[in-house]
Amino acid sequence: MTRIAIILGSTRPNRRGDQVARWVLDTASQRGDADFELIDLRDHPLPHFDEAVPPMFGPSVNAHTRAWAERLATFDGFIIVTPEYNGSAPGVLKNALDHAFAEWVNKAVGFVSYGVDGGVRSVQQLRLVCGTLGMADVGYQVSISVLTDFENNTTFVPTDRQSGALTKTLDQTIAWSNALAPLRTTLVTS
C-alpha cells in the first residue's frame, strides 16, 4: 500500500503545528487508500547542514544523515505541515530537506500551511525547493490562519473549507505518489 509521511516542520516550543499535523493524520487515517505516519522533526534533530558532499552525490558519512535518509526512503509521498516564519518556511524544515536527495526524488508532496496569512509564502518557497529535489508538488493545499482558525488563539478548529481542501490535497498526493511509482522503481533497478 502507498505510504505517505506527514512531516511536521516546526520544532518551536508552544508550536501550533502539532495540532494541525494531528488533524491531518486523524483525517488521513480514516482513508483506506494509503498508510499514513507522522514524522515530527523534533524526533530527528539534525545539525545545521554539515555534509562535506551534497547528498545528491551519494550516501553520507554522517550517521544522523543516513538515519534520516533511511527514514524517508520508506515513503512514497509526503504531506508537509509548515508554519510561515517571516515570509518563509522554518529553517529546521529547510535543513531537513537539504539533508537528503535520492529519498525525495519522484515522490509527490502536498502542503498544509499556517500563519498570519495562512502560510502561503512558506509554501511558495517550499514548492521551489521540492521541485529542485525532484519532487512533484500537488496543486491543492490547505491554508490555515493563526488569527481566525484557532479558538482563543490556542486551539485549532478546522473549518469545512479546510477539511475539503485537505481531502483534495490527500487525493492528489496519493494519486501522484502512485503515478510516480514506476519512476521510483526504474531508479532503483537502473
Side-chain angles (χ1 to χ4, degrees):
M1 180 166 296
T2 302
R3 290 179 36 85
I4 305 293
I6 299 164
I7 298 176
L8 174 50
S10 172
T11 59
R12 182 175 76 74
N14 302 319
R15 64 188 177 179
R16 295 182 181 145
D18 53 344
Q19 295 175 59
V20 176
R22 178 60 50 194
W23 167 68
V24 172
L25 179 62
D26 290 347
T27 301
S29 295
Q30 295 174 22
R31 302 170 64 104
D33 53 353
D35 289 328
F36 297 89
E37 190 173 329
L38 180 61
I39 296 177
D40 188 338
L41 291 183
R42 280 187 181 170
D43 298 331
H44 300 276
L46 296 165
H48 188 70
F49 191 64
D50 63 346
E51 297 298 317
V53 178
M56 71 185 312
F57 295 122
S60 173
V61 298
N62 295 321
H64 57 265
T65 301
R66 285 192 318 273
W68 175 238
E70 288 169 10
R71 182 80 172 102
L72 297 173
T74 65
F75 294 99
D76 301 300
F78 303 94
I79 299 288
I80 295 177
V81 177
T82 181
E84 181 179 311
Y85 297 156
N86 300 317
S88 183
V92 69
L93 176 56
K94 176 65 166 72
N95 191 51
L97 290 165
D98 288 343
H99 269 83
F101 184 78
E103 297 76 17
W104 301 120
V105 174
N106 292 326
K107 296 182 180 179
V109 61
F111 299 99
V112 176
S113 61
Y114 58 98
V116 173
D117 293 319
V120 296
R121 291 174 294 194
S122 176
V123 171
Q124 287 173 333
Q125 292 179 7
L126 287 170
R127 287 184 191 279
L128 179 62
V129 171
C130 289
T132 301
L133 290 169
M135 300 171 80
D137 60 295
V138 304
Y140 284 103
Q141 74 181 64
V142 182
S143 299
I144 299 165
S145 171
V146 296
L147 299 177
T148 60
D149 298 324
F150 286 82
E151 188 174 273
N152 297 321
N153 206 28
T154 57
T155 305
F156 176 54
V157 181
T159 65
D160 289 342
R161 180 187 59 78
Q162 291 157 342
S163 294
L166 179 57
T167 296
K168 290 176 182 178
T169 300
L170 291 168
D171 288 346
Q172 279 194 334
T173 303
I174 293 165
W176 287 28
S177 294
N178 292 334
L180 291 167
L183 296 177
R184 291 190 300 277
T185 303
T186 302
L187 282 179
V188 171
T189 59
S190 303

